[in-house]
Amino acid sequence: MNRPVKLSDTDIKTAVDTLSGWKVIKNSLHRDFEFKDFVEAWGFMSRAALIAQSMDHHPEWFNVYNKVRVDLSTHDANGITSLDIELAKKMNLLIDS
């Protein structure tokens, strides 16, 4: 399978400008999500995990009670790729639906 290549800084900025809540921190897309409670946060993570698995692209994330911190980068490309942008968009759709 061909893995995507690292995006240019210009392409990353353009993409992040369209991603509500996301920013670039340490060569990764980053977002902090906050939910009503632990069950809602865990539900989000479960739905996101199914999407990530189907994409064969897995997030770095951390959960405490109602908060989920997500960092997306493509380790094979040593930076942010189209896969990260796509997964961020899909995670945003989970909270908008």
Side-chain angles (χ1 to χ4, degrees), residues 7 14 16-17 20-21 25 55 57-58 60 74 95:
L7 296 174
T14 299
V16 169
D17 286 346
S20 177
I25 297 180
M55 294 173 65
H57 190 61
H58 306 96
E60 291 183 23
T74 303
I95 62 165

mmCIF file of all heavy atoms in Angstrom, residues 7 14 16-17 20-21 25 55 57-58 60 74 95:
data_model
loop_
_atom_site.group_PDB
_atom_site.id
_atom_site.type_symbol
_atom_site.label_atom_id
_atom_site.label_comp_id
_atom_site.label_asym_id
_atom_site.label_seq_id
_atom_site.Cartn_x
_atom_site.Cartn_y
_atom_site.Cartn_z
ATOM 1 N N LEU A 7 2.678 16.555 3.888
ATOM 2 C CA LEU A 7 2.165 17.747 3.225
ATOM 3 C C LEU A 7 3.103 18.928 3.459
ATOM 4 O O LEU A 7 3.808 18.989 4.470
ATOM 5 C CB LEU A 7 0.777 18.098 3.771
ATOM 6 C CG LEU A 7 -0.334 17.077 3.516
ATOM 7 C CD1 LEU A 7 -1.613 17.501 4.234
ATOM 8 C CD2 LEU A 7 -0.589 16.906 2.027
ATOM 9 N N THR A 14 -3.607 25.450 4.946
ATOM 10 C CA THR A 14 -4.868 25.521 4.209
ATOM 11 C C THR A 14 -5.872 24.517 4.774
ATOM 12 O O THR A 14 -7.044 24.848 4.982
ATOM 13 C CB THR A 14 -4.630 25.258 2.711
ATOM 14 O OG1 THR A 14 -3.740 26.259 2.209
ATOM 15 C CG2 THR A 14 -5.928 25.278 1.921
ATOM 16 N N VAL A 16 -5.853 23.030 7.827
ATOM 17 C CA VAL A 16 -6.201 23.336 9.219
ATOM 18 C C VAL A 16 -7.203 24.487 9.291
ATOM 19 O O VAL A 16 -8.077 24.497 10.161
ATOM 20 C CB VAL A 16 -4.936 23.623 10.058
ATOM 21 C CG1 VAL A 16 -5.278 24.187 11.421
ATOM 22 C CG2 VAL A 16 -4.113 22.345 10.211
ATOM 23 N N ASP A 17 -7.104 25.420 8.364
ATOM 24 C CA ASP A 17 -8.049 26.538 8.328
ATOM 25 C C ASP A 17 -9.484 26.066 8.115
ATOM 26 O O ASP A 17 -10.429 26.781 8.462
ATOM 27 C CB ASP A 17 -7.661 27.549 7.245
ATOM 28 C CG ASP A 17 -6.447 28.382 7.625
ATOM 29 O OD1 ASP A 17 -6.041 28.381 8.808
ATOM 30 O OD2 ASP A 17 -5.881 29.033 6.713
ATOM 31 N N SER A 20 -12.387 22.781 12.027
ATOM 32 C CA SER A 20 -12.805 23.413 13.269
ATOM 33 C C SER A 20 -12.171 22.723 14.478
ATOM 34 O O SER A 20 -12.264 21.505 14.638
ATOM 35 C CB SER A 20 -14.328 23.350 13.382
ATOM 36 O OG SER A 20 -14.755 23.893 14.602
ATOM 37 N N GLY A 21 -11.496 23.519 15.321
ATOM 38 C CA GLY A 21 -10.945 23.007 16.565
ATOM 39 C C GLY A 21 -9.549 22.433 16.488
ATOM 40 O O GLY A 21 -8.942 22.155 17.517
ATOM 41 N N ILE A 25 0.540 21.218 16.461
ATOM 42 C CA ILE A 25 1.456 21.254 17.608
ATOM 43 C C ILE A 25 2.482 20.148 17.408
ATOM 44 O O ILE A 25 2.119 18.980 17.238
ATOM 45 C CB ILE A 25 0.730 21.043 18.948
ATOM 46 C CG1 ILE A 25 -0.256 22.173 19.211
ATOM 47 C CG2 ILE A 25 1.729 20.930 20.092
ATOM 48 C CD1 ILE A 25 -1.023 22.046 20.520
ATOM 49 N N MET A 55 -9.426 2.859 8.090
ATOM 50 C CA MET A 55 -8.450 3.626 7.311
ATOM 51 C C MET A 55 -7.039 3.080 7.481
ATOM 52 O O MET A 55 -6.122 3.516 6.787
ATOM 53 C CB MET A 55 -8.456 5.094 7.770
ATOM 54 C CG MET A 55 -9.724 5.849 7.499
ATOM 55 S SD MET A 55 -9.694 7.516 8.253
ATOM 56 C CE MET A 55 -8.347 8.285 7.323
ATOM 57 N N HIS A 57 -5.222 3.749 9.960
ATOM 58 C CA HIS A 57 -4.510 4.968 10.385
ATOM 59 C C HIS A 57 -4.975 5.299 11.797
ATOM 60 O O HIS A 57 -6.123 5.678 12.000
ATOM 61 C CB HIS A 57 -4.811 6.115 9.423
ATOM 62 C CG HIS A 57 -3.939 7.301 9.657
ATOM 63 N ND1 HIS A 57 -2.572 7.237 9.535
ATOM 64 C CD2 HIS A 57 -4.229 8.569 10.005
ATOM 65 C CE1 HIS A 57 -2.063 8.422 9.797
ATOM 66 N NE2 HIS A 57 -3.058 9.254 10.089
ATOM 67 N N HIS A 58 -4.090 5.146 12.746
ATOM 68 C CA HIS A 58 -4.499 5.159 14.145
ATOM 69 C C HIS A 58 -3.984 6.392 14.884
ATOM 70 O O HIS A 58 -2.812 6.744 14.757
ATOM 71 C CB HIS A 58 -4.011 3.867 14.818
ATOM 72 C CG HIS A 58 -4.470 2.673 14.057
ATOM 73 N ND1 HIS A 58 -3.663 2.040 13.125
ATOM 74 C CD2 HIS A 58 -5.651 2.040 14.029
ATOM 75 C CE1 HIS A 58 -4.337 1.039 12.585
ATOM 76 N NE2 HIS A 58 -5.552 1.019 13.111
ATOM 77 N N GLU A 60 -2.930 8.984 18.020
ATOM 78 C CA GLU A 60 -2.394 9.009 19.379
ATOM 79 C C GLU A 60 -3.432 9.791 20.163
ATOM 80 O O GLU A 60 -3.800 10.902 19.786
ATOM 81 C CB GLU A 60 -1.053 9.736 19.417
ATOM 82 C CG GLU A 60 0.048 8.983 18.720
ATOM 83 C CD GLU A 60 1.390 9.693 18.828
ATOM 84 O OE1 GLU A 60 1.583 10.503 19.761
ATOM 85 O OE2 GLU A 60 2.234 9.443 17.964
ATOM 86 N N THR A 74 1.423 11.071 10.545
ATOM 87 C CA THR A 74 1.735 9.817 9.863
ATOM 88 C C THR A 74 3.203 9.519 10.099
ATOM 89 O O THR A 74 4.074 10.206 9.556
ATOM 90 C CB THR A 74 1.430 9.934 8.353
ATOM 91 O OG1 THR A 74 0.048 10.306 8.206
ATOM 92 C CG2 THR A 74 1.689 8.614 7.631
ATOM 93 N N ILE A 95 -18.763 14.454 16.109
ATOM 94 C CA ILE A 95 -19.307 15.324 17.145
ATOM 95 C C ILE A 95 -20.360 16.275 16.593
ATOM 96 O O ILE A 95 -21.135 16.844 17.352
ATOM 97 C CB ILE A 95 -18.204 16.114 17.885
ATOM 98 C CG1 ILE A 95 -17.447 17.022 16.937
ATOM 99 C CG2 ILE A 95 -17.277 15.177 18.628
ATOM 100 C CD1 ILE A 95 -16.622 18.049 17.644
#
